Amino acid sequence: MNTTADTPKLRLEPFKVACSSCNLRELCLPVGLNRENLDRLDSLVATRRQVARGDTLFRAGDEFQSLYAVRTGFFKTCVSSEDGRDQVTGFQMAGELLGLDGISTDNHTCDAVALEDSQVCVIPYEQLEGLSREFSELQHQFHKIMSREIVRDHGVMLLLGSMRAEERLAAFLLNLTQRLQARGFSASALILRMTREEIGSYLGLKLETVSRTFSKFQDDGILDVKQRQIRILDQDKLQSLVNGTNC
Amino acid sequence: MNTTADTPKLRLEPFKVACSSCNLRELCLPVGLNRENLDRLDSLVATRRQVARGDTLFRAGDEFQSLYAVRTGFFKTCVSSEDGRDQVTGFQMAGELLGLDGISTDNHTCDAVALEDSQVCVIPYEQLEGLSREFSELQHQFHKIMSREIVRDHGVMLLLGSMRAEERLAAFLLNLTQRLQARGFSASALILRMTREEIGSYLGLKLETVSRTFSKFQDDGILDVKQRQIRILDQDKLQSLVNGTNC
DNA sequence: CGGCGATTTGATTCTAGTCAACCCTAGTGG
DNA sequence: CCACTAGGGTTGACTAGAATCAAATCGCCG
């Protein structure tokens, strides 16, 4: 969950930074594009946007115009029902796309909130459609990203529908560390960017239950928990909670 | 949930039936296509497949090659974790697409099982990508369908993460009748094609809880429940359960 | 230093899960 | 035609796990 977001250097980078030179290009939209096509994508993804911690990138109801690729920082997305209930539907880190929900009705259906000072690449959607008609690699990669989101959501449904609190938290932590590891961070230490309440909302638990479960993992020697700093002491035991291996 | 599936007439239709003459064209992939483009889509969606009740259209792990549009009948999709837990992720009726999950890894990630004798249109995916590069209406409609699936999944996450049993079942029934109504069926009477256990799996409840909740709705005068035949007696009360209006 | 939001922990309640028995209904075969 | 059976469904008694309510503590920021 550490990103380079908090190094002041980033702020001084030129406003335009090309996909072709982005260190996330192996994780983000450009996967599988050759040099020529990368250059064309660059011309599309021309602008960046800073989003300060706590600010929203977009809200439910906002007109949908662009997708956003997280460049640095960390986001949550949440939907809410008429009666005020709300549900965190995901946490997004560098290289992940935000805004796919907006395509269906031309309006966003969830809020995207920055959990730390963040920077996103703005991808005008109409232009993306246009470009992806021109070269199939981009088209295919974009479809894969949408499909992956669907598969991810099904995984969350499995978690919410059939796992107990400990299993949910274990699965959540393993998922986070896996994604962090893919970005070059440690697999065993992380700093949570979200509150217990946000974790709880994502996992379908109350914040007290999240807190208790962290404490239990600490007691069991699985984790070292210091507020939002987490160290995984026993990866195997965590994994076995998800698998149900030792139940 | 009544479709024309059980009229023997259908079986005698020619094997090829065009999207352009399909009565689902306002719900399915062809939305927004003009006549010329419809004809081109027809050439792509050339084959049908019958799936008998209880049979699988595809299984998790199967190679992904095609999407499927439900023409008649009713399906469920379910994912399962390594340890055997499984979760129904959706129920699909006429005009809805199956198989979107497969794009992400070129393998399906869930099982699609027919809950009644069904017929699907086979949409070869590579060809769909090709055609949607050629005309933007198809491309856009396809993207909308994927996005709608993501939005739908977020709704289910909200349901699983924050609703109580009664609210879940009420939301489920309202969603079903809404979709049936869009297909010309009654908004107040339906026949469930799935077992209590399958409903429970979808809603994150045990089958006993589903059964008890049906009974309670019956006692409260909200529903008339005769096995799988449901009649909605008090739509407003059902709606208010979802909204939390009268809690 | 004071205050606030976030977190932890304890005590209690309540919802849904578990286990078990029984009941329908449709389909089977004598 | 009817008894038999199996699978799905209902209901009851009890339990477990998470929610709720409440209080105390921590850590950060002005």
Side-chain angles (χ1 to χ4, degrees), chain A residues 195-211:
Chain A
T195 66
R196 301 291 190 257
E197 186 168 17
E198 286 161 339
I199 297 173
S201 172
Y202 182 61
L203 298 178
L205 302 170
K206 292 293 160 186
L207 70 94
E208 295 94 328
T209 305
V210 174
S211 177

Side-chain angles (χ1 to χ4, degrees), chain A:
Chain A
M1 205 133 331
N2 274 304
T3 65
T4 50
D6 32 14
T7 67
K9 193 170 125 285
L10 257 180
R11 302 290 154 68
L12 302 173
E13 283 183 333
F15 189 61
K16 285 179 70 158
V17 178
C19 288
S20 49
S21 63
C22 178
N23 58 4
L24 294 167
R25 68 181 175 281
E26 294 308 323
L27 288 167
C28 191
L29 202 52
V31 171
L33 300 194
N34 61 26
R35 171 131 296 280
E36 185 201 334
N37 289 339
L38 256 182
D39 288 343
R40 303 189 61 187
L41 185 60
D42 280 343
S43 67
L44 187 155
V45 184
T47 63
R48 296 286 182 74
R49 194 169 136 190
Q50 292 284 152
V51 188
R53 173 188 169 135
D55 284 357
T56 61
L57 178 59
F58 54 78
R59 281 177 207 277
D62 286 359
E63 189 192 358
F64 168 70
Q65 293 201 310
S66 302
L67 297 172
Y68 304 92
V70 180
R71 210 183 114 72
T72 62
F74 204 80
F75 285 84
K76 69 170 177 179
T77 48
C78 40
V79 295
S80 37
S81 57
E82 316 81 54
D83 57 320
R85 245 189 290 252
D86 73 300
Q87 172 77 23
V88 172
T89 54
F91 296 107
Q92 293 78 22
M93 56 179 76
E96 297 176 333
L97 281 196
L98 283 160
L100 294 172
D101 61 288
I103 301 169
S104 86
T105 59
D106 292 325
N107 287 92
H108 288 286
T109 60
C110 65
D111 300 344
V113 181
L115 297 183
E116 59 179 339
D117 291 346
S118 301
Q119 195 179 47
V120 297
C121 301
V122 179
I123 307 170
Y125 178 65
E126 296 244 334
Q127 292 176 49
L128 177 66
E129 280 200 342
L131 205 57
S132 77
R133 281 198 299 277
E134 293 184 38
F135 49 102
S136 62
E137 294 85 355
L138 177 62
Q139 180 195 36
H140 194 59
Q141 178 57 20
F142 177 52
H143 290 170
K144 280 195 171 200
I145 288 174
M146 292 204 98
S147 175
R148 195 182 306 146
E149 175 68 18
I150 291 171
V151 172
R152 186 191 73 81
D153 290 347
H154 289 175
V156 176
M157 286 163 66
L158 177 69
L159 178 147
L160 291 171
S162 70
M163 292 186 173
R164 287 176 308 106
E166 289 181 27
E167 300 169 329
R168 293 183 197 194
L169 189 61
F172 169 71
L173 291 171
L174 287 171
N175 173 277
L176 268 187
T177 52
Q178 213 171 295
R179 285 153 67 200
L180 287 168
Q181 203 171 10
R183 286 157 181 78
F185 296 104
S186 164
S188 64
L190 69 162
I191 296 174
L192 301 174
R193 291 283 121 109
M194 68 294 278
T195 66
R196 301 291 190 257
E197 186 168 17
E198 286 161 339
I199 297 173
S201 172
Y202 182 61
L203 298 178
L205 302 170
K206 292 293 160 186
L207 70 94
E208 295 94 328
T209 305
V210 174
S211 177
R212 271 185 247 277
T213 309
F214 270 125
S215 299
K216 176 160 192 314
F217 284 174
Q218 171 130 271
D219 292 347
D220 294 352
I222 299 174
L223 296 181
D224 182 40
V225 182
K226 283 210 189 70
Q227 300 289 120
R228 298 193 183 183
Q229 296 179 65
I230 310 289
R231 182 177 304 279
I232 295 175
L233 303 175
D234 192 338
Q235 172 98 14
D236 293 345
K237 220 183 272 181
L238 206 57
Q239 187 68 58
S240 73
L241 275 169
V242 179
N243 298 336
T245 312
N246 67 355
C247 303

